[in-house]
Amino acid sequence: MQTLIIYCFGAFLGVIISWLFKTDNMLLTAAQFSIFISFLYTFMGRLIPAVRESLIQMVPAIFPFPKFIVYATGMIELLIAIGIFFPSTQSIASIAGILICIVLFPANIKAFKQNIHLGTKPPTNIYVRLFVQCLFIASFILIAVFNCCF
């Protein structure tokens, strides 16, 4: 639920910034800021030891080196968050963002099924998490389409 609130805050911030700075497209700016704030938030969670340990537990057992996977996906999330602001990297950042949303979703399923807390917070309801993932993917599609077509 927290990620949904962060996403909405980012979208609101994007609308305000678009309005203040008269950007070309308010919807694009809202999508960029919602992704930026959300992915920065999830990246920063890896810097908190209790959250990092929870994320390591969420990695499905079939994958070796769960600690490395958590660090690597965090760096990818950071690069995606930054990349969506630059026209030359928006498409690749959007594609990477869609892929990471799909690839990381099984970890969310595992956390929900096994009641793995994220630090001290209980796991997000899987249907809420699915909704958030769909919002992320829709935002990435919007960013990619605007980069390609406008």
Side-chain angles (χ1 to χ4, degrees):
M1 188 65 163
Q2 224 170 340
T3 307
L4 179 59
I5 294 167
I6 298 293
Y7 176 91
C8 292
F9 172 75
F12 178 73
L13 183 64
V15 168
I16 298 299
I17 288 171
S18 181
W19 181 72
L20 287 174
F21 294 99
K22 311 270 189 272
T23 62
D24 292 337
N25 191 299
M26 184 181 293
L27 193 57
L28 174 62
T29 306
Q32 288 171 314
F33 275 89
S34 64
I35 290 295
F36 177 74
I37 298 292
S38 297
F39 273 49
L40 192 62
Y41 171 75
T42 58
F43 165 76
M44 289 183 347
R46 286 162 170 81
L47 304 176
I48 301 167
V51 174
R52 183 174 50 245
E53 289 306 314
S54 298
L55 293 171
I56 291 168
Q57 290 177 18
M58 290 170 59
V59 175
I62 63 168
F63 295 106
F65 312 112
K67 192 173 190 176
F68 173 77
I69 290 171
V70 168
Y71 284 118
T73 56
M75 291 308 299
I76 292 167
E77 287 176 347
L78 180 62
L79 292 172
I80 290 167
I82 295 167
I84 51 115
F85 284 112
F86 299 99
S88 62
T89 59
Q90 281 177 343
S91 292
I92 192 73
S94 294
I95 292 167
I98 291 168
L99 290 174
I100 201 134
C101 285
I102 293 167
V103 168
L104 294 182
F105 194 66
N108 291 292
I109 294 170
K110 179 181 178 183
F112 181 72
K113 282 184 174 180
Q114 296 182 5
N115 197 29
I116 299 171
H117 284 55
L118 199 55
T120 59
K121 296 181 177 33
T124 304
N125 178 289
I126 198 63
Y127 299 109
V128 172
R129 189 65 206 179
L130 178 62
F131 178 70
V132 171
Q133 295 296 97
C134 290
L135 281 175
F136 287 166
I137 291 170
S139 296
F140 284 125
I141 290 170
L142 179 74
I143 293 165
V145 166
F146 272 95
N147 185 48
C148 291
C149 302
F150 299 99

